[in-house]
Amino acid sequence: MNAILRPTPSPTAAKIRTPLARARGLGSSKEGATHFWRQRVTAVANIVLASLLTFVFVKLAGADYATVKATLKNPLVSLLLLLFIASGVIHMRLGMQTVIEDYVHAEGRKVACLMLNTFFSVIVALTSVWAVLKLSFGA
Amino acid sequence: MADATQAPKRHPRPISPHLSIYSPLVNMVMSIVHRLTGVALYFGTLLLAWWLIAAATGPAYFAFVNGLLTTLPGKLVLLGYTWALMHHMLGGMRHLIWDTGRGFNISTVNFLSWGTIIGSLGLTAAIWVGALKMKGLL
């Protein structure tokens, strides 16, 4: 199986993996090229999604509530937003993980920052998704 | 033999020169700005989430948030957000080119780096001029 398709173990989880898991060709970082590859896949997706959504946001800048609501209810716009939230949040979490690993060296603080990074990303993603779904399906 | 149980004595090792010793080069500055805009966009997602929640909550709360975003400081934040997104996107495209192993000679590196900053300012201007024209404000 291609290493790229494996789930990303967290840096902490990597330490408690079995010797067999370590032996499966994922290198000393225990996750092979997964982080690198996901960052690129989401980067390409973000280029497409952000470019398309720019037109939506330009249209909605300064618009009244009825227009904003009607536009965000449009299935195409909702789906673009959901895709962008998913791809964007994965991308930003990976990016912030790199920044934390570059600058935060104390083990305890680093693990805490990496956890907060995940919490922040999940909260941003789920609140945004909730809002889009409420606009799509709500009364 | 007793030494083997003790921690080896630490000598100060020579360290490699870091950022502060180099005069700024365009690709180095763009690399730093790429990271800074990435971090800014990370926290900027709060703005997008907040705006979406406002739209999902109702007209009164949306009017409040929209009112804040259309003040001068609000517009400046959105202008900065636009530029950060464009800069990070173009910087990312530059990295995607480099990922293929292409574009590493000095003249191309400089061209792509200048292209990132000039392109990001150009795209930001185009988006805002386009938006203002669409609203008949320009």
Side-chain angles (χ1 to χ4, degrees):
Chain A
M1 192 173 140
N2 192 324
I4 283 160
L5 299 174
R6 288 170 198 282
T8 312
S10 73
T12 314
K15 285 185 186 142
I16 53 175
R17 298 186 92 195
T18 62
L20 176 63
R22 289 187 194 190
R24 281 181 173 145
L26 294 175
S28 60
S29 74
K30 325 289 190 292
E31 54 173 284
T34 313
H35 182 289
F36 175 92
W37 184 248
R38 284 205 179 137
Q39 191 74 325
R40 267 63 187 178
V41 172
T42 51
V44 173
N46 286 344
I47 293 171
V48 177
L49 297 166
S51 302
L52 292 171
L53 282 168
T54 299
F55 290 98
V56 176
F57 287 118
V58 164
K59 184 183 174 245
L60 293 183
D64 60 68
Y65 183 68
T67 312
V68 171
K69 202 173 174 185
T71 307
L72 296 181
K73 267 174 102 90
N74 179 307
L76 188 62
V77 174
S78 305
L79 286 170
L80 275 178
L81 275 169
L82 291 175
L83 288 170
F84 184 56
I85 292 162
S87 177
V89 163
I90 293 169
H91 187 84
M92 77 173 199
R93 179 174 165 268
L94 292 171
M96 185 55 80
Q97 185 189 331
T98 302
V99 172
I100 292 167
E101 286 166 353
D102 279 356
Y103 302 131
V104 185
H105 301 301
E107 190 65 16
R109 207 183 303 166
K110 184 176 80 183
V111 170
C113 284
L114 291 172
M115 270 195 191
L116 285 175
N117 181 31
T118 300
F119 295 162
F120 179 87
S121 304
V122 171
I123 289 167
V124 165
L126 288 190
T127 48
S128 305
V129 166
W130 172 82
V132 173
L133 293 182
K134 184 167 187 278
L135 283 159
S136 295
F137 301 120
Chain B
M1 289 302 277
D3 287 1
T5 59
Q6 287 173 353
K9 205 174 169 190
R10 283 192 169 272
H11 295 284
R13 309 302 303 169
I15 54 172
S16 63
H18 212 298
L19 288 176
S20 56
I21 209 159
Y22 298 105
S23 55
L25 298 168
V26 66
N27 59 319
M28 155 186 166
V29 175
M30 287 312 122
S31 171
I32 294 166
V33 174
H34 188 73
R35 180 160 281 202
L36 289 178
T37 51
V39 172
L41 290 166
Y42 180 92
F43 293 105
T45 55
L46 286 175
L47 209 61
L48 177 65
W50 186 39
W51 185 80
L52 285 171
I53 288 164
T57 303
Y61 191 62
F62 183 79
F64 167 69
V65 173
N66 214 29
L68 283 178
L69 290 176
T70 46
T71 59
L72 184 64
K75 280 180 188 158
L76 287 175
V77 169
L78 291 176
L79 183 67
Y81 196 131
T82 313
W83 173 75
L85 188 64
M86 292 303 119
H87 193 282
H88 199 78
M89 184 176 79
L90 292 178
M93 288 172 169
R94 192 177 54 136
H95 276 286
L96 290 172
I97 295 169
W98 284 337
D99 286 344
T100 69
R102 297 179 184 86
F104 280 112
N105 60 65
I106 301 294
S107 60
T108 313
V109 166
N110 286 339
F111 173 78
L112 291 173
S113 302
W114 281 112
T116 304
I117 182 65
I118 294 167
S120 68
L121 293 171
L123 281 175
T124 305
I127 290 167
W128 278 68
V129 168
L132 291 172
K133 279 208 164 151
M134 224 164 121
K135 321 264 169 246
L137 295 169
L138 203 79

